[in-house]
Amino acid sequence: MKERLQELKQEALEKIQAADDTKALQDVRVYYLGKKGQITDVLKGMGKLSKEERPVIGQLANEVRDTLTEALDSKSEQLENEQIEKQLREEAIDVTLPGKPVQAGGSHLLMDVIRDIEDLFTSMGYEVAEGPEVETDYYNFEALNLPKGHPARDMQDTFYITEELLMRTHTSPVQARTMNRHEGRGPVKIICPGKVYRRDTDDATHSHQFTQIEGLYVDEKIRMSDLKGTLNVLAKHLFGEDRKIRLRPSYFPFTEPSVEMDISCKVCGGEGCSVCKGSGWIEILGAGMVHPNVLEMAGFDPDKYTGFAFGMGPERIAMLKYGIEDIRHFYTNDVRFLKQFHRV
Ligand code: FA5
């Protein structure tokens, strides 16, 4: 029995050494030390031994079990460590590899043009005002001297939501809303950028949704010459010191007199070319002196207060400034188009 135990010990130690994964090691443990294992099997025969032999064999069996348990535990630890090291090696990140470049974003050209105009006017003491895009018929039309049934409502084909609610067709309702808030006291000096909507057919120069910037200055003794001076500053800021402006008589129900501002064509210098359709001038915006009815409806005394207003489309301004031929480029957001205006 002694020899058998020694033999089993030797055999088991060799198998422990040879085990190359935890599963094989567990099999060795069960085979030798398990309930039905080889050592237990040997011990079952202890009953047949003499009284003197029994403690000697018992002690030896314990020693063999302890030796094997120790060997199994240490091998198990070794295998676990090897496994962790292997995993670390496989999952290692090479921090020296070059990274993937992240595309840097930039503001949209339209936003740049709007901010540029905002900055110019805030530097002249104007405040930026905003209003809702879903507007009431009252503010979009009536408060601007366009009562129901007025033929000039057809100048702006409207998306109606209900009879009284609509998608604003211009930023002029922000004038009326802001003047109301001032409760008849000037000055009101605002610039209002925002989205507007019209049932226009989309083409190279028209969109059903576009942006406008409105300007309004109401105070005592505001005159047409103030409007002209302001528009001159705007035109030169946007298109260059060498550009001339001219004001042509026009019609808007909310201003009287009304004008349209043209700038001299940069391409031909006023001689006439295909860009300015031979006239030497390019139309930029609509403007005028606030109609007394509009002032009155907003609670201002038209005998005391006067004012000017103007409205322009930043898309058309950007198109002229950068030679963009199709307004739809602003909305399709092709990065190749947008990138040309941002050198990041
Ligand atoms: C107006 O909307 C007036 N509210 C402007 C105004 C304000 C006049 C204050 C007087 C006093 P108009 O309909 O012309 O005016 O539009 C103003 C600008 O919006 C145009 O000059 C043009 O640049 C732009 N615009 C008009 N319709 C479209 C469209 N479908 N797509 C793109 N831009 C447009």
Side-chain angles (χ1 to χ4, degrees):
M1 209 174 239
K2 216 175 181 179
E3 289 75 41
R4 177 71 186 133
L5 281 171
Q6 295 292 9
E7 226 175 79
L8 283 174
K9 178 179 152 193
Q10 204 45 46
E11 194 184 296
L13 286 174
E14 276 165 21
K15 284 196 182 159
I16 290 168
Q17 271 322 305
D20 52 8
D21 62 29
T22 48
K23 163 88 179 58
L25 197 63
Q26 181 61 11
D27 289 347
V28 176
R29 190 188 291 273
V30 172
Y31 185 75
Y32 290 100
L33 300 181
K35 267 187 197 159
K36 293 177 186 161
Q38 296 296 306
I39 305 283
T40 322
D41 225 30
V42 174
L43 294 178
K44 274 182 193 154
M46 291 257 288
K48 291 180 198 144
L49 295 175
S50 68
K51 233 175 166 188
E52 294 74 32
E53 271 180 314
R54 228 177 278 160
V56 178
I57 295 297
Q59 197 189 347
L60 178 64
N62 280 342
E63 273 170 28
V64 170
R65 188 186 284 122
D66 289 350
T67 310
L68 293 186
T69 307
E70 212 175 284
L72 282 161
D73 289 349
S74 110
K75 181 72 181 184
S76 164
E77 201 183 317
Q78 181 199 331
L79 287 175
E80 254 171 54
N81 287 343
E82 278 172 15
Q83 174 63 21
I84 290 170
E85 263 168 40
K86 185 170 166 239
Q87 208 168 332
L88 284 175
R89 261 197 317 278
E90 282 170 3
E91 290 174 7
I93 296 167
D94 183 355
V95 290
T96 63
L97 281 175
K100 286 185 193 149
V102 177
Q103 292 265 343
S107 53
H108 193 284
L109 170 62
L110 206 46
M111 281 315 298
D112 289 345
V113 171
I114 292 170
R115 285 205 191 113
D116 181 37
I117 297 170
E118 275 178 13
D119 287 349
L120 174 71
F121 280 94
T122 49
S123 78
M124 296 194 281
Y126 286 70
E127 277 175 26
V128 178
E130 283 182 352
E133 286 172 32
V134 174
E135 188 50 282
T136 59
D137 183 274
Y138 177 78
Y139 281 116
N140 196 77
F141 289 130
E142 285 191 44
L144 296 168
N145 204 28
L146 276 150
K148 286 203 166 74
H150 194 293
R153 283 192 177 208
D154 296 345
M155 286 164 76
Q156 303 178 358
D157 211 350
T158 311
F159 287 113
Y160 276 94
I161 296 166
T162 65
E163 234 171 81
E164 293 303 323
L165 269 187
L166 46 82
M167 301 305 291
R168 68 177 177 192
T169 53
H170 51 174
T171 39
S172 303
V174 187
Q175 291 188 25
R177 284 181 174 275
T178 312
M179 278 197 281
N180 261 6
R181 276 201 297 277
H182 275 253
E183 295 176 339
R185 280 187 301 276
V188 183
K189 211 172 172 189
I190 51 162
I191 190 98
C192 340
K195 287 196 200 100
V196 300
Y197 304 82
R198 285 187 198 178
R199 285 169 46 131
D200 284 346
T201 306
D202 290 0
D203 61 21
T205 52
H206 292 84
S207 172
H208 60 282
Q209 179 199 301
F210 58 102
T211 46
Q212 278 194 346
I213 297 187
E214 186 92 1
L216 172 73
Y217 188 6
V218 174
D219 205 352
E220 294 175 33
K221 301 193 183 81
I222 298 292
R223 291 169 306 210
M224 189 83 181
S225 54
D226 296 312
L227 170 64
K228 193 170 180 185
T230 306
L231 295 182
N232 203 21
V233 169
L234 171 68
K236 290 189 158 70
H237 175 80
L238 287 174
F239 298 104
E241 282 300 316
D242 55 331
R243 310 303 285 279
K244 291 187 188 67
I245 67 163
R246 76 171 183 189
L247 301 182
R248 268 182 301 109
S250 184
Y251 171 74
F252 296 103
F254 28 89
T255 46
E256 181 57 39
S258 301
V259 291
E260 248 156 342
M261 179 181 88
D262 298 338
I263 52 158
S264 56
C265 179
K266 192 177 187 174
V267 178
C268 61
E271 299 283 303
C273 67
S274 61
V275 173
C276 58
K277 298 191 185 93
S279 73
W281 296 93
I282 295 170
E283 186 194 312
I284 294 293
L285 52 76
M289 300 305 289
V290 182
H291 197 292
N293 288 352
V294 173
L295 289 169
E296 214 166 349
M297 276 187 278
F300 279 77
D301 176 358
D303 291 329
K304 186 175 171 198
Y305 286 103
T306 48
F308 64 72
F310 55 89
M312 65 194 122
E315 282 94 338
R316 300 256 178 97
I317 287 173
M319 286 169 84
L320 278 174
K321 199 167 165 173
Y322 298 105
I324 297 162
E325 280 148 15
D326 198 315
I327 197 167
R328 289 165 289 204
H329 285 310
F330 292 108
Y331 316 118
T332 44
N333 286 330
D334 185 332
V335 177
R336 291 167 302 177
F337 167 75
L338 296 172
K339 258 187 168 171
Q340 296 174 59
F341 306 97
H342 273 279
R343 265 153 253 180
V344 277

